[in-house]
Amino acid sequence: MSRQRRGGLPGMKLLLGAVIVLVVWLSWRNFSGLFGSGDDEQAQAAVEQFYEYEQQGDYGSAWELFHPEMQQRFNKAEYIQNRAHILMQDFGVNTFDVHIGSPTRIADWKMSADAAPIPLVYEFHVEESFHSEYGNFTINQPCFAAYESGKWKVLWSYEQTHAGSSQNTH
């Protein structure tokens, strides 16, 4: 009888080793998925949701996706009123098309010169195409997403750029 036990022992060791390797691999995959893997996709999903709300005219839900720094810039009621006024009344637009580019990871990004740096954001180039009574036009605006309080939140840049500020001499 002892001979049969020894014959099955290497097979059991091999099976146990395979199970341990599988458990370690699955645990590592799940652990790495929780911390960092897919951040760009989750950030992009937040930006896409924001612009879907904007397209639907649901500016209150869009405002909820703003990062706290953006929420400090815009009172919710004023944002809803102003955004609707600008798009629907001033531009004469009922809806618009949106194209969101691929994410670019940026470290220590600042919303404005006096803002605290945010350790990690993703930048997306957003193109909004409007068809209005005043003709067709497009707005290109970078949009940023930062992880805040367990969720990806949307930011816009208020950093002054110097593009086009060179003086012309004749």
Side-chain angles (χ1 to χ4, degrees), residues 4-167:
Q4 287 177 340
R5 276 188 183 163
R6 282 189 218 151
L9 195 57
M12 286 299 283
K13 284 183 178 179
L14 185 61
L15 180 61
L16 182 60
V19 168
I20 289 172
V21 167
L22 181 62
V23 167
V24 168
W25 179 75
L26 287 172
S27 297
W28 174 81
R29 243 183 107 200
N30 288 336
F31 182 77
S32 66
L34 291 173
F35 299 99
S37 179
D39 280 352
D40 57 342
E41 289 141 0
Q42 293 173 13
Q44 184 157 359
V47 171
E48 288 172 354
Q49 184 65 64
F50 175 85
Y51 284 101
E52 283 177 26
Y53 286 144
E54 293 266 305
Q55 284 178 302
Q56 297 164 5
D58 187 355
Y59 305 112
S61 294
W63 185 89
E64 292 293 334
L65 291 176
F66 273 147
H67 187 276
E69 287 192 36
M70 290 293 294
Q71 290 179 345
Q72 288 177 358
R73 283 184 97 66
F74 298 110
N75 168 287
K76 185 175 182 178
E78 290 172 358
Y79 179 80
I80 293 167
Q81 182 179 355
N82 291 340
R83 197 73 169 165
H85 180 84
I86 290 167
L87 292 178
M88 294 178 183
Q89 293 176 4
D90 291 347
F91 288 171
V93 171
N94 291 326
T95 189
F96 55 93
D97 298 321
V98 176
H99 173 74
I100 300 170
S102 300
T104 302
R105 183 182 173 125
I106 301 174
D108 296 323
W109 179 83
K110 292 173 69 172
M111 186 171 88
S112 63
D114 58 342
I118 298 173
L120 170 68
V121 299
Y122 286 95
E123 178 181 10
F124 300 88
H125 291 281
V126 177
E127 183 178 282
E128 298 169 278
S129 300
F130 298 91
H131 309 283
S132 78
E133 60 185 88
Y134 303 110
N136 299 329
F137 59 96
T138 301
I139 294 176
N140 292 300
Q141 181 179 25
C143 184
F144 302 86
Y147 198 70
E148 177 70 28
S149 301
K151 295 180 182 177
W152 286 94
K153 298 292 188 167
V154 172
L155 296 126
W156 291 329
S157 175
Y158 292 89
E159 190 72 79
Q160 293 293 325
T161 61
H162 300 290
S165 65
S166 61
Q167 294 180 350

